[in-house]
Amino acid sequence: YMDGDEDDIELPFWDVQKNHWAYESIQKAYILNLISPSPHFYPDKPITKAEFLTMISRVEKIQVLFKVTFDND
């Protein structure tokens, strides 16, 4: 999909409109399978550490074999 046909890909998120400032970035992340299809994306909500680590693991194709904890959670 990353050969210029991205405009043809519709996002499954009802809360991300084409005029949203991050639409193209969200669309690319969806095409690359960094984010999962869901009816809600909440584009203006900060991502959690768990969501960030999930995206990173998908990029690197890392299988998480241990539990990550944070002191401030």
Side-chain angles (χ1 to χ4, degrees), residues 5 7-8 12 15 22 26 32-33 35 41-42 44-45 47 56 58 63 71:
D5 293 333
D7 292 336
D8 297 335
D15 54 351
I26 295 167
L32 293 170
N33 293 318
I35 52 179
F41 183 76
Y42 306 106
D44 296 313
K45 179 182 153 230
I47 64 170
I56 294 299
R58 289 178 180 168
Q63 184 176 22
D71 292 336

Side-chain angles (χ1 to χ4, degrees), residues 37-52:
S38 167
H40 301 84
F41 183 76
Y42 306 106
D44 296 313
K45 179 182 153 230
I47 64 170
T48 66
K49 292 173 187 172
E51 291 166 335
F52 175 75

Side-chain angles (χ1 to χ4, degrees), residues 1-38 41-43 55 58:
Y1 288 112
M2 297 307 290
D3 60 2
D5 293 333
E6 299 93 40
D7 292 336
D8 297 335
I9 304 300
E10 290 291 325
L11 293 177
F13 315 114
W14 68 268
D15 54 351
V16 181
Q17 305 301 316
K18 288 190 176 189
N19 63 348
H20 190 275
W21 65 269
Y23 182 86
E24 289 180 17
S25 297
I26 295 167
Q27 184 182 45
K28 287 180 182 177
Y30 174 70
I31 291 168
L32 293 170
N33 293 318
L34 299 180
I35 52 179
S36 301
S38 167
F41 183 76
Y42 306 106
M55 288 187 286
R58 289 178 180 168

Side-chain angles (χ1 to χ4, degrees), residues 55-66:
M55 288 187 286
I56 294 299
S57 70
R58 289 178 180 168
V59 168
E60 298 295 329
K61 296 183 181 172
I62 298 172
Q63 184 176 22
V64 179
L65 300 175
F66 53 91

